[in-house]
Amino acid sequence: MSTYWVNIIGDNLVDSPLLIKQKISFTFAKLNAARFFSHHDIMRHFERGLKRASLKVNHSQGFNPRPRLVFPHPLPLGVASECEEIEVEFSEEYGLEKLINCLNPVLQPCIEITGMTTLKNTKKGRVVNSCTYRIDNFPNLNGLEEANVDMLKSEKIMIERGHGRKRRNIEIRRFIESCELCDTGVVVKLLHFLDGAGRIDEIGKYLADKLDSDWYSLNFTKIAMDFKK
């Protein structure tokens, strides 16, 4: 029999099983207005959605228990995604069709679950190997090919990351595995390492500066995510 911890929050009792009965990775689209939702907004939205759908989720232990949700690669503000992932630990087993039918109606229209994968029932989450993005809506496409070639030929690309006292110099060329032209802009594949990862907004700003254009008008969309095996 599973062991349960009971946490009292006000007048509510939260049962948090120590064993994982089912672990699911949901793939969801974060498009249109949702690209301006912060990571914390997305996290709270799924917490409330799972509660509205009356799905039993494992909770953390302690004085402030929270649903055990894992986002392998949270996006920066302003970046949309066709392939976001969230890993959820359930204390009961559900059919995959039931999960989609329960969750999609209680989520915002700009956030839609598009697929699911059953994971091993372990607390260890998956590690991202690379992410692929599309950058489009360049004000000026003239010269984009030349700017792209120059970027890929560069041995080092130094940029400043952070604000105030946390500002530091970062070399970002090592994160760029590929960057290819498409009809509306470029498709960029960025690698993830243990000591850091590339940010697609930094790549967009670099290319926009080469074109003497405003990078704030660019659209960033994650289109694929690869995990380490």
Side-chain angles (χ1 to χ4, degrees), residues 102-144:
C102 288
L103 273 176
N104 266 334
V106 298
L107 298 176
Q108 291 286 344
C110 51
I111 299 176
E112 181 183 4
I113 294 175
T114 58
M116 289 182 294
T117 303
T118 301
L119 304 177
K120 293 182 179 179
N121 293 346
T122 62
K123 293 187 179 299
K124 184 178 180 180
R126 294 174 298 168
V127 179
V128 176
N129 183 56
S130 67
C131 291
T132 304
Y133 302 85
R134 183 178 62 250
I135 310 177
D136 50 27
N137 200 37
F138 282 92
N140 179 17
L141 290 175
N142 296 328
L144 181 58

Side-chain angles (χ1 to χ4, degrees), residues 1 6 31 45 78 94 99 124 134 171 186 192 197 223:
M1 180 180 295
V6 179
L31 304 172
H45 187 58
Y94 298 100
L99 288 174
K124 184 178 180 180
R134 183 178 62 250
E171 199 284 298
V186 292
H192 288 238
I223 58 176

Side-chain angles (χ1 to χ4, degrees), residues 10 13 20 26 38 46 49 94 130 155 165 201 208:
L13 294 179
I20 303 172
F26 294 94
S38 70
F46 270 97
Y94 298 100
S130 67
E155 292 185 3
R165 294 182 179 179
D201 53 334

